Amino acid sequence: MIGSITKGSDFGGCVRYALAVDEPGKEARLLYAEGVLSDTPQDIINGFECQRHLNQRVQHWVGHISLSYSPEDSAILTDEKMVKFALEYIERMGIKNTQFIIARHLDKEHPHCHIVFNRVDNDGKCVSDSWEYFRSNDICKELKLKYGLTFGKGRDKVKTNRLKGRDRAKQEVYIAVRDALKVAKDWTTFQRELAKSGVSLRKKYRRGTTIVEGLSFVKDKHKFKASEVAKGRKFSFVNIDRILNENKNGQSQSPSPGSVATPKMPPMVEKQEPSVAEKVMDAALDIGESIGGAVGDLFQLGPSVNPEEEDFARKMRRLNKKPKRKGPKL
């Protein structure tokens, strides 16, 4: 169970997506509605739009949460159970005294539902989003334990063919690094294995030294820091170097009784000056990332998003554009 949170400013696009209106190949059904007429999608949209005008100060009045479950839980996730889990999640997230709908999508292997709610509540107050991503993660873990739901196994379970653009490139980098670490015994072989999957490696050196302090990977003109590809320090320079050494030595040997293991220090790597072409590529990628991060999006993607659901936020960015301010008529 993963809660993927986004916010925006167009109920029309979000509701139509949740209900799979004008979405070829997608099937959805409305499971629950609170505070809105649900005869048609337009009735739902009109209800949301009417209430959000109670507070003009709220910039992102559309709240959206996708609750995704493991395919292993499909047998127990009836519509009734999905509503039960969603309502408990909503209550514990503090989404109260406001309008919302719950819609189930049937277009993917893993069961999931979409919650669309009004961030302007029935009294015109804004529904708090304080620490929402951290609270969501904790609530999902607690609900999985409470109801015996399956804990996912991370990125290894993600369906790469369902991803697009940068998300797909990042998943392909993850797979390439993971597989290369199974066979490589040194950095040269490691980079050669990555190259087979179209992935190149960049090392970041501490200023004025030959000490490697960071890694990044490039795939199809997309550049990712090691920490973006895998959580924590799984693909850090020190960790990868340790794995390569273990592969070379046939795994580390257990110390003999009475002996004291000497901690290994990170190796000093001879700095290889990047070519002019590599410098140009790195500069272009960095500029592209800076521009992409600086552009304000109507729908903002949270850090806990299921990779297979990330296309929702990008679809919302295309569907929704801020209306241009019109000056007074002369």
Side-chain angles (χ1 to χ4, degrees):
M1 181 179 183
I2 298 176
S4 305
I5 303 173
T6 51
K7 293 189 290 288
S9 54
D10 180 10
F11 277 117
C14 193
V15 170
R16 284 193 291 270
Y17 179 88
L19 298 178
V21 178
D22 302 324
E23 294 282 339
K26 292 183 181 291
E27 182 182 353
R29 55 176 172 259
L30 180 66
L31 302 183
Y32 191 94
E34 179 75 30
V36 292
L37 295 175
S38 56
D39 294 336
T40 67
Q42 192 58 49
D43 289 333
I44 296 173
I45 295 168
N46 292 341
F48 280 134
E49 283 290 334
C50 183
Q51 180 160 304
R52 67 98 170 170
H53 286 290
L54 293 176
N55 191 333
Q56 299 290 342
R57 293 174 297 175
V58 179
Q59 293 184 343
H60 296 102
W61 48 81
V62 181
H64 167 267
I65 301 170
S66 172
L67 291 180
S68 303
Y69 300 84
S70 171
E72 284 82 354
D73 294 328
S74 297
I76 65 171
L77 276 170
T78 62
D79 288 350
E80 291 74 18
K81 283 288 183 66
M82 188 165 280
V83 170
K84 174 182 172 64
F85 298 156
L87 289 176
E88 185 167 347
Y89 172 91
I90 290 171
E91 177 75 15
R92 297 179 67 172
M93 282 291 290
I95 302 171
K96 304 176 182 178
N97 190 39
T98 193
Q99 305 162 310
F100 65 88
I101 63 170
I102 303 171
R104 180 170 190 163
H105 275 204
L106 307 171
D107 59 308
K108 294 185 179 180
E109 179 182 353
H110 65 279
H112 65 286
C113 68
H114 292 268
I115 301 167
V116 183
F117 66 97
N118 202 328
R119 294 193 65 239
V120 177
D121 73 12
N122 301 335
D123 298 322
K125 298 179 181 179
C126 182
V127 176
S128 174
D129 60 355
S130 176
W131 301 96
E132 61 183 355
Y133 302 118
F134 301 99
R135 290 189 290 117
S136 177
N137 286 339
D138 290 341
I139 291 169
C140 286
K141 289 178 183 178
E142 291 168 6
L143 290 178
K144 283 188 284 189
L145 288 171
K146 179 179 179 179
Y147 293 108
L149 299 173
T150 303
F151 279 80
K153 297 182 180 179
R155 301 188 67 96
D156 294 305
K157 286 286 186 177
V158 174
K159 305 294 185 182
T160 305
N161 63 331
R162 295 185 182 273
L163 305 179
K164 298 177 182 179
R166 183 175 175 82
D167 300 322
R168 180 164 186 161
K170 181 164 65 174
Q171 179 65 10
E172 289 174 342
V173 168
Y174 172 85
I175 294 172
V177 175
R178 180 199 65 188
D179 292 346
L181 287 175
K182 294 178 181 178
V183 297
K185 298 181 179 180
D186 54 57
W187 283 95
T188 301
T189 308
F190 176 65
Q191 290 180 260
R192 188 180 301 129
E193 290 296 321
L194 292 180
K196 293 179 181 178
S197 301
V199 178
S200 58
L201 174 69
R202 301 282 188 269
K203 295 177 182 177
K204 180 181 179 181
Y205 297 90
R206 187 177 300 171
R207 184 183 295 272
T209 72
T210 58
I211 299 175
V212 178
E213 62 177 12
L215 295 177
S216 59
F217 304 92
V218 179
K219 167 76 175 179
D220 297 335
K221 298 183 180 180
H222 297 290
K223 184 179 179 181
F224 307 96
K225 294 179 181 178
S227 57
E228 289 182 81
V229 179
K231 290 183 178 180
R233 301 184 58 78
K234 182 175 181 179
F235 289 162
S236 67
F237 170 76
V238 172
N239 205 40
I240 290 179
D241 191 76
R242 176 185 59 79
I243 295 173
L244 295 177
N245 283 327
E246 288 179 354
N247 291 346
K248 183 177 181 180
N249 298 326
Q251 298 297 322
S252 57
Q253 300 294 326
S254 300
S256 58
S259 64
V260 178
T262 303
K264 292 183 178 181
M265 298 299 292
M268 299 291 286
V269 179
E270 182 180 355
K271 182 173 181 178
Q272 298 175 350
E273 185 67 22
S275 66
V276 174
E278 289 177 329
K279 289 181 179 179
V280 172
M281 173 62 76
D282 282 343
L285 290 167
D286 289 338
I287 291 172
E289 289 181 348
S290 298
I291 294 174
V295 175
D297 294 313
L298 286 178
F299 274 72
Q300 300 168 340
L301 194 61
S304 61
V305 174
N306 181 343
E308 293 185 22
E309 295 294 326
E310 289 181 1
D311 63 324
F312 169 79
R314 286 158 180 76
K315 187 176 185 64
M316 290 299 97
R317 291 169 189 161
R318 295 194 300 271
L319 288 173
N320 304 285
K321 294 182 180 180
K322 288 185 178 180
K324 296 181 179 179
R325 288 189 176 182
K326 295 182 179 179
K329 294 182 178 180
L330 299 178

